[in-house]
Amino acid sequence: MKRFPMIETAIGLAVGVMVYLGVKGYNVMPVFFMAGLMIMLTQTTQLRNMGGKKVAAVSSSTVPGIKFEDIGGQTAAKKELLEAIDFITNREQIKKMGIRPLKGILLTGPPGTGKTLLAKAAAHHTGSVFLAAAGSDFVEMYAGVGAQRVRDLFRKARETARREKKNSAMIFIDEIDVLGVKRGSHASHMEYDQTLNALLVELDGVVVDDEVQVLIMGATNRADMLDPALLRPGRFDRVVNVDLPDKEGRLAILALHTKGKPLAAGVSLEDLARQTFGFSGAHLEALSNEAAILALRDGAEQIAMHHMVEAVDKVILGEKLDRKPMPEEKRRVAIHEAGHALVGEWTEAGSVSTVTITPRGRAMGYVRTNPSDDRYLYTRPLLEAQIAVALAGFAAEELVLGDGSTGASSDFAKANEMARRIVQAGMSELGIVDPEHGNKTRESEVVATIIRQQMAKVRWFLEQRREVAVQVADVLTAHEVISGDDLRVMLAAAPALPAMPAAATETEAA
Ligand code: ATP
């Protein structure tokens, strides 16, 4: 609804009255002068408020309570950061050696990996006051406001440190890419450029003799977007990578976040750390929290391993849904998941931990696997195995029900992605391919061939294990879940697998 323009109407009326009085011969000039003065004053105050508002919203605090010990894993990042901030604690020595102070540290890495925590711990370690802001806080449509905010932030950092009798201050700017994006690359680039220039000027102004040593820490997961001027030596000249934690790191983070929670005797944090490859610190915190909520809902006194495992699924896939699929849909999903699970066991024995057809998030069912270790490198057979598992759901539907369904679309996308990785990593018959100028048509043909070959193998295997697939699907339809162990018992009872005829894959691949 359109707002009634009260102010505009009042101004219009006032101007009308003034013109009328002017025509009648009254001297209206002083009134115009006063009105002009008032408008100017209001505008200036508004602009200052706009500039000051966000800086006032900047969360400033005294020295934060977070210590490096409160951060799990990230050993390399902690070490690098400790070395970098050493100059604040050893100020006299640094001065004596004529070393210029370090002005900026850039923390780069995926979301939720502990960049804010590390910045706070650095402030704690050096006894610095800590001010935090986000790149978006500096973005305004009014030219000059962002730049003013940058200056205000540095001023506020120095003032706060002086007031609290500290000789150092740390300014943390999260999502610094919003403010430090390459100059000229933004649509409203004048304002962005001015803001970034103000930051560069403030960084350049930091000197070792300053009464308050200011260190700026930026965090981003898009370091490639930053203006090169920010990264040149003398500005953000230390870049600390804050990556997703490895298994040891995940274990340490889980231990931190479950400390003080009533864990049952059977809970193995090692197992959970193994099962949570790709989780960030924030995911692991959410997992520990969700597990406690699930235990509370169950009315349990302690958090059991099954609460933890369910929390892993919840963090990956989302909340369980009340949506009830139709009986034939449920049967189809059961057969689809049975296919994935059986081929999963075929390609890596012992890898399946649970199969369920309880809808959760966007998944209608899923197979939980038990990865043996973090894996960062893949050979062609490993990728082919993943392609086979991805295709198995559709193949099982076709084999048992006579046709496939749209439920396999994301499986195909995954299979294609893996096959493309084989080609792009130079592991296909094309050898090393030029990622930019290679023959895309030929590459797509090879991708299709890899998928056809894997599909043929999967079809052959599932034909041999058709009865087990139906058995597993029956259990799933009745109970919605089957454990990896029960699945292995069923597989073990099946007759030995004959040797796969080479023709099975060749015919399909041709
Ligand atoms: P973003 O890039 O999204 O701003 P971030 O990297 O700054 O994320 P943090 O805000 O530091 O991440 O972490 C979010 C939460 O995740 C923390 O409050 C903490 O609970 C948990 N967390 C993340 N990493 C760790 C870690 N290494 N040790 C312990 N907890 C962690």
Side-chain angles (χ1 to χ4, degrees):
M1 202 173 67
K2 207 168 183 319
R3 197 167 54 91
F4 185 66
M6 286 254 286
I7 297 173
E8 287 83 346
T9 314
I11 292 174
L13 267 173
V15 171
V17 170
M18 286 299 127
V19 171
Y20 175 74
L21 290 175
V23 170
K24 284 278 172 189
Y26 291 97
N27 179 11
V28 288
M29 280 319 279
V31 181
F32 271 119
F33 178 71
M34 285 302 289
L37 204 67
M38 279 181 70
I39 291 171
M40 255 178 65
L41 271 172
T42 336
Q43 288 292 313
T44 324
T45 324
Q46 266 182 12
L47 199 64
R48 195 172 297 145
N49 283 346
M50 274 185 283
K53 189 180 67 192
K54 291 280 176 72
V55 173
V58 161
S59 65
S60 85
S61 71
T62 46
V63 181
I66 304 266
K67 303 191 199 83
F68 278 115
E69 301 93 90
D70 300 329
I71 305 174
Q74 302 299 359
T75 322
K78 281 189 211 167
K79 187 165 164 278
E80 264 186 82
L81 199 53
L82 271 168
E83 276 170 17
I85 56 175
D86 206 28
F87 83 99
I88 292 186
T89 35
N90 287 327
R91 221 162 140 176
E92 283 312 309
Q93 227 179 338
I94 298 277
K95 206 165 146 185
K96 211 163 76 192
M97 300 298 282
I99 298 172
R100 70 163 165 74
L102 184 69
K103 296 171 183 179
I105 299 177
L106 188 67
L107 304 167
T108 67
T113 43
K115 296 182 287 296
T116 313
L117 289 182
L118 283 164
K120 285 188 176 168
H124 178 93
H125 184 78
T126 51
S128 310
V129 292
F130 183 80
L131 282 93
S136 49
D137 292 342
F138 299 90
V139 177
E140 268 295 346
M141 56 188 282
Y142 299 98
V145 175
Q148 184 58 41
R149 281 185 190 145
V150 170
R151 290 191 285 273
D152 285 349
L153 185 59
F154 275 78
R155 182 181 43 75
K156 193 170 174 198
R158 292 193 177 94
E159 276 174 14
T160 316
R162 260 184 233 118
R163 200 174 51 241
E164 295 182 13
K165 302 200 173 21
K166 304 282 177 208
N167 60 10
S168 53
M170 279 193 192
I171 296 176
F172 175 69
I173 305 184
D174 206 356
E175 314 157 11
I176 196 162
D177 42 290
V178 177
L179 146 76
V181 70
K182 288 188 184 89
R183 277 173 290 185
S185 59
H186 208 279
S188 55
H189 60 87
M190 275 297 286
E191 161 59 358
Y192 278 84
D193 294 358
Q194 277 191 33
T195 310
L196 176 56
N197 285 339
L199 179 63
L200 298 176
V201 169
E202 289 296 334
L203 275 169
D204 291 346
V206 175
V207 286
V208 79
D209 280 331
D210 277 349
E211 176 200 347
V212 175
Q213 195 73 66
V214 178
L215 178 74
I216 172 154
M217 292 214 188
T220 179
N221 32 46
R222 291 302 312 270
D224 56 309
M225 305 245 308
L226 294 180
D227 194 291
L230 262 182
L231 296 170
R232 80 138 168 80
R235 287 170 181 160
F236 279 99
D237 47 4
R238 284 283 195 291
V239 179
V240 175
N241 284 324
V242 189
D243 282 328
L244 288 172
D246 59 10
K247 200 167 76 186
E248 296 304 312
R250 295 197 295 275
L251 179 58
I253 298 172
L254 281 169
L256 277 170
H257 287 292
T258 50
K259 199 161 77 187
K261 289 191 169 74
L263 292 189
V267 172
S268 162
L269 295 184
E270 280 83 3
D271 274 358
L272 286 166
R274 195 155 43 81
Q275 290 177 31
T276 46
F277 178 68
F279 273 42
S280 68
H283 282 128
L284 296 165
E285 188 275 335
L287 186 165
S288 316
N289 199 46
E290 289 299 340
I293 294 173
L294 290 171
L296 186 76
R297 272 193 209 157
D298 266 8
E301 299 261 300
Q302 290 185 317
I303 305 170
M305 189 65 178
H306 69 89
H307 295 127
M308 289 289 207
V309 170
E310 190 172 342
V312 174
D313 290 342
K314 188 166 171 197
V315 173
I316 300 176
L317 299 157
E319 185 70 83
K320 265 186 199 166
L321 301 179
D322 287 336
R323 189 180 68 205
K324 290 267 170 278
M326 291 182 299
E328 63 267 30
E329 261 183 356
K330 196 171 168 185
R331 177 85 186 142
R332 185 175 282 280
V333 177
I335 286 163
H336 183 103
E337 297 307 327
H340 282 313
L342 292 181
V343 175
E345 274 300 308
W346 182 42
T347 54
E348 189 181 347
S351 64
V352 173
S353 112
T354 350
V355 190
T356 127
I357 57 161
T358 310
R360 196 185 265 283
R362 290 175 59 198
M364 292 185 79
Y366 54 96
V367 177
R368 261 171 65 69
T369 51
N370 231 341
S372 48
D373 241 320
D374 290 3
R375 198 184 283 286
Y376 301 96
L377 292 175
Y378 288 86
T379 56
R380 179 165 175 162
L382 283 171
L383 287 170
E384 282 178 342
Q386 289 199 6
I387 297 172
V389 176
L391 299 173
F394 185 85
E397 283 183 55
E398 266 191 341
L399 179 73
V400 181
L401 302 171
D403 53 8
S405 71
T406 52
S409 322
S410 59
D411 294 336
F412 291 155
K414 193 174 163 200
N416 267 295
E417 190 198 316
M418 299 292 160
R420 209 156 276 285
R421 275 176 80 180
I422 294 180
V423 174
Q424 279 163 0
M427 295 189 286
S428 75
E429 48 274 39
L430 292 180
I432 297 166
V433 293
D434 180 336
E436 274 180 36
H437 309 291
N439 182 341
K440 298 291 160 209
T441 320
R442 186 77 193 100
E443 284 173 27
S444 296
E445 279 167 14
V446 175
V447 165
T449 309
I450 294 173
I451 291 187
R452 268 203 308 274
Q453 281 172 341
Q454 292 312 309
M455 187 54 127
K457 279 190 199 169
V458 167
R459 283 193 177 124
W460 172 84
F461 170 78
L462 285 176
E463 267 159 26
Q464 311 306 312
R465 290 290 175 259
R466 185 195 173 105
E467 268 173 41
V468 188
V470 172
Q471 255 180 311
V472 172
D474 287 345
V475 177
L476 282 173
T477 317
H479 306 287
E480 293 198 0
V481 60
I482 181 168
S483 74
D485 289 339
D486 290 347
L487 176 96
R488 283 182 280 277
V489 169
M490 289 179 185
L491 265 174
L497 209 57
M500 183 168 51
T505 58
E506 277 159 17
T507 1
E508 289 261 355

